[in-house]
């Protein structure tokens, strides 16, 4: 297949190794990955903060940037951004009276998948060790991000793949369905509440005894990682794409605090 990478602005700007890991996984399976050059933000931050008029040109740019490329499906290593495409972009276009853009946004959203959704539902990947050669000999727990769980209905897809990686010891966190408190601009508009929520999440992560907390949204992992860092915790946060991309021949090394660009310092 020809797969377009929707990198998302936070991955592109702060966690580029997550995008690289996504490409590595798909190319390992024999697929061609293309990168629509005009893509920027999906407008999620603007919509969530009520800036609907400002969101419209961003939605228009996203749709047009991907329409310029020939591809079968698109993929993003982010549940929240993929959810935004179907949940918010058509609404913004309709509110502006641009029904044609709303239709095209819906069409693009219908063939844009979150990474685990693409791997399992479209490409038939159910065993990361056998089908991807994934290897990561670490004790791992998992955070289930709200948008992937509630808007996309990802269920256990991400953790199911992580559990099948060779060498992993997996322990499920208490309060798996509880928000980490990030919520984009919520984290600084309601800093005290957000801080209390991430403290609860971090306490539950540390109870598992895991050395790594993984998940499918770098925004949540950034928030959790920041709280862990402030506690001088040894637990690291790593996107599940990097774990799936890790192999015996080219292992992801986990030594010391994880940097914002992925991997270890």
């Amino acid at each position: 297949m020809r797969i377009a990478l929707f990198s998302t602005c936070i991955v592109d700007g702060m966690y580029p190794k997550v995008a690289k890991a996504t490409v590595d996984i798909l190319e390992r399976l024999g697929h061609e990955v293309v990168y629509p050059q005009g893509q920027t933000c999906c407008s999620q931050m603007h919509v969530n903060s009520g800036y609907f008029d400002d969101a419209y040109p961003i939605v228009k740019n996203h749709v047009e940037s991907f329409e310029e490329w020939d591809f079968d499906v698109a993929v993003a290593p982010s549940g929240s951004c993929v959810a935004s495409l179907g949940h918010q972009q058509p609404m913004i276009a309709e509110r502006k009276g641009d029904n044609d853009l709303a239709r095209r946004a819906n069409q693009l959203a219908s063939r844009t998948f979150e990474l685990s959704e693409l791997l399992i539902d479209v490409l038939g990947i159910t065993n990361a060790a056998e089908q991807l050669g994934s290897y990561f000999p670490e004790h791992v727990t998992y955070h289930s991000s709200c948008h992937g769980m509630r808007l996309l209905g990802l269920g256990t897809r991400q953790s199911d793949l992580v559990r099948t990686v060779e060498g992993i010891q997996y322990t499920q966190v208490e309060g798996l369905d509880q928000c980490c408190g990030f919520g984009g601009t919520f984290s600084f508009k309601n800093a005290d509440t957000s801080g209390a929520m991430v403290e609860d999440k971090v306490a539950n992560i540390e109870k598992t005894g895991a050395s790594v907390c993984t998940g499918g949204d770098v925004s949540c992992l950034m928030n959790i990682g920041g709280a862990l860092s402030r506690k001088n915790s040894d637990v690291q946060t790593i996107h599940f794409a990097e774990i799936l991309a890790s192999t015996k021949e080219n292992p992801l090394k986990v030594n010391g605090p994880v940097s914002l660009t992925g991997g270890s310092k």
Side-chain angles (χ1 to χ4, degrees):
M1 298 177 71
R2 198 165 198 243
I3 301 172
L5 176 64
F6 168 30
S7 65
T8 80
C9 53
I10 189 169
V11 167
D12 187 49
M14 299 179 71
Y15 295 84
K17 286 189 177 181
V18 174
K20 183 181 184 301
T22 300
V23 173
D24 287 346
I25 292 165
L26 297 174
E27 289 184 342
R28 191 179 303 167
L29 291 169
H31 303 289
E32 179 188 2
V33 181
V34 297
Y35 185 79
Q37 297 293 309
Q39 63 177 290
T40 55
C41 179
C42 66
S43 80
Q44 181 181 174
M45 293 184 295
H46 307 74
V47 179
N48 289 349
S49 299
Y51 294 101
F52 292 172
D53 290 340
D54 294 315
Y56 172 74
I58 301 172
V59 171
K60 191 170 186 291
N61 176 74
H62 181 84
V63 173
E64 291 177 348
S65 294
F66 278 80
E67 285 179 337
E68 290 176 357
W69 288 73
D70 178 33
F71 60 90
D72 299 301
V73 295
V75 65
S78 167
S80 66
C81 295
V82 172
S84 176
L85 301 192
H87 181 64
Q88 296 178 335
Q89 287 198 352
M91 178 267 291
I92 291 298
E94 288 172 357
R95 185 181 180 277
K96 203 70 174 177
D98 193 340
N99 293 326
D100 179 63
L101 180 62
R103 175 187 59 79
R104 289 153 55 206
N106 266 316
Q107 287 179 344
L108 178 58
S110 71
R111 57 190 187 118
T112 302
F113 297 86
E114 182 275 333
L115 179 58
S116 70
E117 189 179 28
L118 177 71
L119 289 173
I120 293 174
D121 296 356
V122 180
L123 303 181
I125 304 301
T126 57
N127 190 306
E130 292 182 2
Q131 295 171 283
L132 297 175
S134 306
Y135 174 76
F136 190 66
E138 295 285 340
H139 187 181
V140 174
T141 191
Y142 165 77
H143 167 66
S144 180
S145 297
C146 296
H147 283 146
M149 180 170 51
R150 296 184 171 90
L151 288 177
L152 287 184
L154 293 179
T156 60
R157 287 176 178 82
Q158 294 174 352
S159 58
D160 285 348
L161 288 171
V162 169
R163 286 171 184 255
T164 64
V165 171
E166 184 180 354
I168 269 191
Q169 176 188 347
Y170 180 89
T171 301
Q172 183 158 302
V173 69
E174 180 184 337
L176 178 65
D177 62 343
Q178 293 177 8
C179 178
C180 73
F182 180 63
T185 54
F186 173 85
S187 62
F188 59 85
K189 288 181 178 178
N190 302 276
D192 291 342
T193 303
S194 173
M197 293 169 75
V198 77
E199 283 181 11
D200 288 345
K201 176 62 69 171
V202 162
N204 286 336
I205 288 170
E206 290 187 312
K207 283 180 188 176
T208 67
S211 58
V212 170
C213 176
T214 192
D217 278 87
V218 293
S219 52
C220 298
L221 294 176
M222 178 178 65
N223 186 46
I224 293 168
L228 287 165
S229 177
R230 289 190 292 275
K231 292 186 67 179
N232 294 314
S233 174
D234 291 330
V235 183
Q236 301 175 53
T237 53
I238 298 175
H239 193 282
F240 84 98
E242 292 188 83
I243 292 176
L244 296 187
S246 178
T247 63
K248 287 181 178 178
E249 296 75 23
N250 188 23
L252 175 65
K253 296 179 180 179
V254 180
N255 296 305
V258 172
S259 69
L260 284 178
T261 54
S264 56
K265 290 181 180 177

